[in-house]
């Protein structure tokens, strides 16, 4: 995680995102900007379903789609809805460190055993379920995945501004991922 840009002051916000809803999110979450009232959503946030993360921001400020690894490939209609109907023109795509979708295959046995114990599934069904879906959700590493997902979404929605971010579960702060 050495390609991250910390945001400890307004000057750390990359110029292209200052004065935008993405800059505003960083001010609210990292810099304790007072929570202004919002009467409509300004931003779409894509983030992982992981329980260790909570964003500090005002009510009404953002649509949020949560999905394993912040993977929006299978949530495209919801992204389009937020843009088309919700009228947002900015997306913050937020990965995080220690993501469970990295090396998902190593959790195969745990996953299957858990579904059998917790949900009452047959072992074979659970195994088939894992093998069908794990390849769709497995990611190689958090920052590379967010960068590639950002590129994909920029091609798909060319007028929307999209920022690749990481949430560190150690300090609960947001960081930019350096784009080279
Ligand atoms: Zn995760």
């Amino acid at each position: 995680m050495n390609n991250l840009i910390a945001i400890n002051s307004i000057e750390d916000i990359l110029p292209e995102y200052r004065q935008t809803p993405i800059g505003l999110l960083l001010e609210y979450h990292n810099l304790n900007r007072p929570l202004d009232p919002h009467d409509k959503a300004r931003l779409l946030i894509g983030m992982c379903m992981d329980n260790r993360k909570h964003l500090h921001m005002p009510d009404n400020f953002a649509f949020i789609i949560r999905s394993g690894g912040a993977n929006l490939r299978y949530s495209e209609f919801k992204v389009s809805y937020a843009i088309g109907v919700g009228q947002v023109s900015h997306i913050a795509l937020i990965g995080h460190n220690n993501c469970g979708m990295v090396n998902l295959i190593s959790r195969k046995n745990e996953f299957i055993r858990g579904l059998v114990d917790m949900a009452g599934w047959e072992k074979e069904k659970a195994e088939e379920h894992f093998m069908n879906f794990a390849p769709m959700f497995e990611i190689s590493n958090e920052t590379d995945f967010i960068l590639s997902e950002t590129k994909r979404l920029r091609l798909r929605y060319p007028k929307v501004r999209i920022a690749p971010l990481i949430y560190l579960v150690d300090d609960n702060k947001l960081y930019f991922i350096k784009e080279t």
Side-chain angles (χ1 to χ4, degrees):
M1 296 264 165
N2 52 6
N3 55 347
L4 302 184
I5 302 168
I7 301 140
N8 299 311
S9 72
I10 294 205
E11 293 71 45
D12 295 330
I13 297 173
L14 297 177
E16 61 265 40
Y17 299 115
R18 276 181 217 157
Q19 318 289 336
T20 74
I22 291 163
L24 210 47
L25 169 69
L26 294 166
E27 287 190 51
Y28 288 136
H29 186 82
N30 276 32
L31 306 177
N32 275 316
R33 177 187 170 117
L35 303 182
D36 328 288
H38 288 274
D39 55 3
K40 68 187 276 285
R42 307 282 312 280
L43 179 69
L44 168 63
I45 294 170
M47 66 191 287
C48 186
M49 63 191 272
D50 191 286
N51 60 304
R52 289 167 289 180
K53 306 184 316 304
H54 173 77
L55 293 175
H56 182 68
M57 61 180 188
D59 290 344
N60 282 335
F61 177 61
F63 289 100
I64 306 181
I65 299 174
R66 297 191 72 151
S67 159
N71 184 343
L72 297 184
R73 280 181 294 194
Y74 311 106
S75 305
E76 194 155 273
F77 188 78
K78 289 172 267 184
V79 175
S80 298
Y81 183 92
I83 296 167
V85 177
Q87 302 271 297
V88 301
S89 52
H90 294 78
I91 299 176
L93 198 58
I94 307 175
H96 68 101
N97 62 324
N98 298 315
C99 184
M101 294 298 121
V102 174
N103 199 14
L104 189 52
I105 197 77
S106 70
R107 292 189 186 82
K108 181 182 169 191
N109 291 336
E110 183 189 350
F111 181 101
I112 293 165
R113 220 172 22 244
L115 269 181
V116 171
D117 292 348
M118 303 292 296
W121 282 35
E122 305 279 336
K123 184 164 180 278
E124 293 67 33
K125 280 274 176 234
E127 212 162 74
E128 192 186 308
H129 187 57
F130 184 88
M131 293 318 283
N132 283 343
F133 289 97
M136 292 163 62
F137 290 99
E138 166 124 41
I139 63 178
S140 59
N141 81 62
E142 298 91 342
T143 53
D144 287 356
F145 178 75
I146 292 296
L147 287 175
S148 72
E149 188 65 348
T150 298
K151 281 201 185 104
R152 184 185 71 77
L153 289 164
R154 283 175 181 160
L155 288 171
R156 192 84 172 119
Y157 302 99
K159 286 179 71 179
V160 175
R161 184 168 297 180
I162 306 171
L165 302 166
I166 285 284
Y167 185 112
L168 288 189
V169 294
D170 318 283
D171 65 5
N172 296 307
K173 295 292 183 201
L174 293 169
Y175 293 75
F176 281 115
I177 305 174
K178 263 184 211 149
E179 297 187 72
T180 46

